[in-house]
């Protein structure tokens, strides 16, 4: 698509990412046109994001970023798109921030023919994909446990902090959670969030014994169909580079939008966040 505006995709995605973690945080503070959020030591919501688009980030604000996280005992963390201003990158470097990792953001328009293709391939034989009722405590917990299984070492139990955040997230009004079952047994899960015409797919996991059966693609299809129902004009997925989620998304019509950088500032006594 020749008229794709990747800067605008990044602005929309990063703004939505900030609003999502803001809703889950226990403490927060604005940072220019974005946010700094904290959810407790070891929480995956500990980050600053969504800034560097509509407002200049001053040196005083970057000092406040460092103080916000350091005073709470965690490493300051900044998540940025490649459209971050050079002055912002320089300011972070001067304060000791270093690159920790890259993340890939992929997108797919949901207009015209794209919307008609949103259903994608059907579920594999014996597999059903159902939307979880956020009022059903047992179903929500099962969804969070299965969705979170792919983000913890195999065989390791999920922390109560992660479980609590997952349940809280699943009950947000903009969130839809999906559970895949094979012959009635939960085998995969994934969620999506829809805000201002953008639906972001996240947290997709398939239990190890059931991988390579098309279950992840079935979960993507269900969430794309929900995105169309929600009236979104675009879907997005964030993934670690080169993992099955990225490959499955590209098979389902997603294209790479950009790589985002995760920067952190190490310090004595400061705990890293996921």
């Amino acid at each position: 698509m020749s008229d794709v505006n990747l800067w605008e995709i990044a602005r929309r995605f990063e703004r939505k990412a900030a609003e999502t973690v803001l809703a889950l945080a226990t403490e927060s503070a604005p940072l220019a046109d974005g946010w700094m959020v904290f959810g407790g030591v070891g929480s995956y919501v500990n980050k600053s994001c969504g800034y560097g688009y509509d407002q200049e980030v001053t040196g005083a604000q970057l000092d406040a970023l460092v103080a916000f996280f350091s005073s709470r005992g965690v490493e300051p963390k900044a998540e940025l798109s490649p459209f971050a201003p050079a002055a912002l990158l320089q300011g972070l470097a001067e304060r000791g921030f270093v690159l920790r990792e890259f993340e890939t953001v992929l997108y797919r328009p949901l207009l015209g023919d794209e919307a008609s293709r949103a259903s994608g391939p059907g579920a594999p034989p014996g597999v059903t994909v159902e939307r979880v009722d956020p009022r059903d405590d047992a179903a929500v917990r099962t969804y969070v446990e299965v969705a979170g299984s792919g983000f913890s070492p195999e065989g390791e139990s999920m922390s109560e902090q992660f479980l609590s955040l997952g349940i809280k997230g699943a009950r947000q009004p903009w969130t839809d959670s999906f559970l895949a079952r094979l012959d009635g047994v939960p085998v995969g899960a994934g969620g999506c969030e829809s805000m201002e015409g953008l639906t972001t797919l996240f947290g997709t996991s398939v239990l190890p014994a059931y991988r390579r059966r098309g279950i992840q693609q079935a979960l993507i299809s269900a969430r794309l169909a929900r995105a169309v129902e929600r009236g979104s004009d675009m879907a997005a997925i964030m993934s670690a580079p080169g993992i099955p989620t990225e490959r499955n998304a590209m098979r389902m019509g997603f294209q790479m939008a950009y790589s985002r950088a995760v920067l952190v500032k190490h310090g004595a006594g400061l705990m890293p966040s996921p």
Side-chain angles (χ1 to χ4, degrees):
M1 295 178 62
S2 59
D3 58 346
V4 169
N5 185 334
L6 295 180
W7 182 93
E8 179 60 20
I9 290 174
R11 188 191 66 81
R12 291 177 68 184
F13 180 87
E14 299 296 332
R15 184 70 51 82
K16 188 216 69 69
E19 292 173 352
T20 295
V21 292
L22 181 64
L24 300 178
T26 56
E27 298 178 73
S28 63
L31 176 65
D33 48 337
W35 289 91
M36 305 177 288
V37 296
F38 177 77
V41 175
S43 173
Y44 63 80
V45 306
N46 298 339
K47 64 184 70 177
S48 64
C49 56
Y51 52 92
Y53 293 91
D54 301 323
Q55 296 180 31
E56 178 185 357
V57 183
T58 66
Q61 288 172 322
L62 292 180
D63 291 338
L65 186 164
V66 173
F68 178 87
F69 292 103
S70 298
S71 66
R72 290 164 175 81
V74 299
E75 291 179 347
K77 181 163 68 169
E79 298 185 352
L80 303 173
S81 81
F83 303 102
L88 172 55
L89 297 176
Q90 181 178 346
L92 290 168
E94 290 171 349
R95 287 162 178 81
F97 281 79
V98 296
L99 178 67
R100 189 177 83 177
E101 62 186 340
F102 289 110
E103 297 170 327
T104 300
V105 176
L106 303 105
Y107 76 101
R108 173 176 165 169
L110 293 172
L111 295 173
D113 291 341
E114 293 289 345
S116 68
R117 294 194 291 113
S119 57
V127 173
T128 60
V129 179
E130 61 192 37
R131 186 152 56 94
V132 174
D133 184 346
R135 299 165 298 181
D136 185 332
D137 292 346
V140 169
R141 185 183 181 96
T142 298
Y143 156 75
V144 174
E145 289 175 341
V146 176
S149 66
F151 301 90
S152 301
E154 191 171 346
E156 185 175 304
S157 60
M158 183 182 301
S159 71
E160 283 300 317
Q161 182 185 55
F162 192 103
L163 180 64
S164 177
L165 277 176
I167 292 173
K168 183 177 181 180
R171 290 186 168 135
Q172 297 300 317
W174 51 77
T175 299
D176 292 291
S177 307
F178 290 83
L179 193 61
R181 298 179 185 271
L182 177 61
D183 298 328
V185 178
V187 296
C192 60
E193 299 168 337
S194 301
M195 297 181 188
E196 300 178 356
L198 174 66
T199 294
T200 299
L201 283 59
F202 68 93
T204 310
S205 295
V206 176
L207 299 182
Y210 303 96
R211 292 172 184 168
R212 299 183 181 276
R213 301 191 189 188
I215 294 172
Q216 184 169 140
Q217 291 189 42
L219 284 163
I220 292 175
S221 292
R223 288 174 291 170
L224 289 177
R226 181 58 174 162
V228 173
E229 292 175 359
R230 287 269 199 172
S232 293
D233 60 70
M234 184 170 293
I237 292 178
M238 187 175 71
S239 166
I243 67 171
T245 294
E246 183 182 80
R247 295 193 293 272
N248 280 313
M250 296 182 77
R251 293 188 186 108
M252 298 290 290
F254 283 80
Q255 306 172 61
M256 182 171 177
Y258 61 94
S259 291
R260 68 201 302 265
V262 179
L263 307 175
V264 296
K265 176 180 171 62
H266 303 302
L270 300 180
M271 296 295 294
S273 301

